[in-house]
Amino acid sequence: MPKAKKLPSGSWRCQVYLGKDENGKNIYKSVTADTKKEAEYLAAEMQLKRKEKEKNGLTLKEAYEKYIESKKNVLSPNTIREYIRMSHKSFEEIMPLLLSELTQERIQVAVGNYALNHSAKSTANTHGLLSAVLKQYRPELSLHTRLPQKQKYERHIPSEEDIQKLIETTEGTRIHVPILLAAFGSFRRSEIVALKRSDVEDNGIWIRRAEAIDENRKFVTKVPKTRAGYRFVDTIPNWVLKRVKKWDFDINLYAITNDFEKAIKHAGITPCRFHDLRHFYASEQHALGIPDKYIMKQGGWSSVSVLQDVYQHTIKEKQNEYSRQAIEYFEKFKPKE
């Protein structure tokens, strides 16, 4: 057991042996406390943890690092960046623990503490990564964590009037063409910034790549978000194609977000996200009676269920029109007086 030595300051210090580095040099760490007994206790505890680690393996933090490293070649840069952020900002009280020390109770407490300052969605996403890490490195621990109930996101889909105002008020600005591509071609933000002039043809536009931000906050080009994302979009009207051909193809992800927020305020319409322009595209095509499979192909959605989640929030004026049609139909069943 390490012996404590008294320092000139009056405190007590223990040197704890932690093994050897890659060059064979001994590694020591100092433990300081107000009393000899306390210093020797902390040193013994540190040694015990080292022995447990050698016997039982990784800490949770180390397991996160290994898991993320193993996924770098198969997940998108955006996803890796988000995983790294979560590994640094979540469940701080259990990250230093050995995997063998983790219990459902400890995890439940950590999740509850995290939920105090984060949304239900953020908590669920963060717990999802924890679950994936444990499934790979401690599969015998089956999680049954109680998570906060998610609040349903009420998506605002821009109306035809909103789109018309955006087109008119952004004329001549760098956000104008991105708005047209998202609303009439269902382009994602990441797909727009990765476009090249060679992708534009006389009857449509190819989506061959996307841009993302990696863990070092640098822009990187990658394949589209899903296999369905690689596509040729031929629903774009000729007047839009003409404007795309004159565009300078020079805008980044941050600029689209910032410029769109300004455009929304300038147009004086209900706030929405740039991504909601894709939902306008899907909802309008659905309202026209265009089959789901065709909308999926043009918009790059990977499944019908994801697409249907978009247009179940059908634009209000369309809902009113459908309601009017239904009422007129049911009126014919009114009994004669």
Side-chain angles (χ1 to χ4, degrees), residues 21-255:
D21 64 15
E22 57 185 12
N23 298 316
K25 187 176 179 180
N26 291 339
I27 303 172
Y28 291 92
K29 185 170 182 179
S30 295
V31 176
T32 306
D34 293 334
T35 67
K36 179 180 180 182
K37 185 177 181 179
E38 184 180 5
E40 290 178 348
Y41 173 80
L42 292 173
E45 184 179 47
M46 184 179 291
Q47 277 195 332
L48 180 62
K49 278 190 173 291
R50 180 181 69 84
K51 290 177 181 178
E52 287 180 348
K53 182 178 178 181
E54 289 176 351
K55 180 181 178 181
N56 299 315
L58 303 171
T59 64
L60 180 58
K61 181 176 178 59
E62 290 167 339
Y64 265 75
E65 291 170 353
K66 285 192 67 173
Y67 180 84
I68 294 170
E69 185 63 31
S70 72
K71 300 296 181 181
K72 279 190 174 180
N73 293 329
V74 294
L75 296 178
S76 74
N78 280 337
T79 301
I80 293 298
R81 189 183 78 251
E82 183 62 14
Y83 279 3
I84 292 173
R85 186 197 66 78
M86 285 193 282
S87 71
H88 292 165
K89 300 291 186 180
S90 59
F91 310 143
E92 294 177 3
E93 64 267 55
I94 61 173
M95 280 294 182
L97 298 179
L98 294 168
L99 295 183
S100 59
E101 297 177 304
L102 292 176
T103 63
Q104 176 66 76
E105 182 179 4
R106 277 179 157 171
I107 291 170
Q108 183 67 69
V109 170
V111 169
N113 291 338
Y114 183 87
L116 291 175
N117 299 306
H118 298 83
S119 68
K121 180 180 179 181
S122 176
T123 303
N125 290 343
T126 306
H127 180 267
L129 176 57
L130 170 64
S131 179
V133 170
L134 292 179
K135 186 175 181 180
Q136 181 156 325
Y137 297 107
R138 196 183 163 194
E140 73 277 7
L141 179 60
S142 180
L143 295 185
H144 303 284
T145 314
R146 185 173 181 82
L147 300 174
Q149 186 172 2
K150 291 183 183 179
Q151 293 183 340
K152 190 174 183 181
Y153 167 63
E154 290 299 327
R155 182 182 288 117
H156 172 70
I157 300 179
S159 65
E160 292 179 9
E161 184 180 354
D162 290 338
I163 297 297
Q164 195 65 50
K165 284 183 179 179
L166 282 172
I167 292 172
E168 292 170 359
T169 56
T170 60
E171 184 79 47
T173 69
R174 66 177 178 178
I175 194 63
H176 183 68
V177 166
I179 287 173
L180 298 179
L181 289 171
F184 304 130
S186 194
F187 282 60
R188 297 178 176 90
R189 190 180 60 135
S190 60
E191 296 167 343
I192 293 171
V193 299
L195 274 180
K196 295 181 180 180
R197 198 173 300 278
S198 58
D199 297 323
V200 185
E201 297 189 1
D202 290 338
N203 62 331
I205 300 175
W206 281 101
I207 297 177
R208 297 184 170 104
R209 69 197 75 80
E211 194 168 278
I213 304 170
D214 67 13
E215 67 268 28
N216 299 313
R217 309 301 297 178
K218 293 182 179 180
F219 295 115
V220 294
T221 301
K222 63 183 187 69
V223 296
K225 185 176 181 180
T226 63
R227 183 179 297 179
Y230 188 96
R231 62 198 188 276
F232 182 71
V233 183
D234 60 7
T235 58
I236 304 170
N238 287 330
W239 67 270
V240 172
L241 281 172
K242 288 179 181 179
R243 296 188 182 198
V244 174
K245 289 177 181 179
K246 294 178 181 179
W247 191 45
D248 60 9
F249 295 84
D250 184 23
I251 194 167
N252 63 44
L253 294 167
Y254 296 133

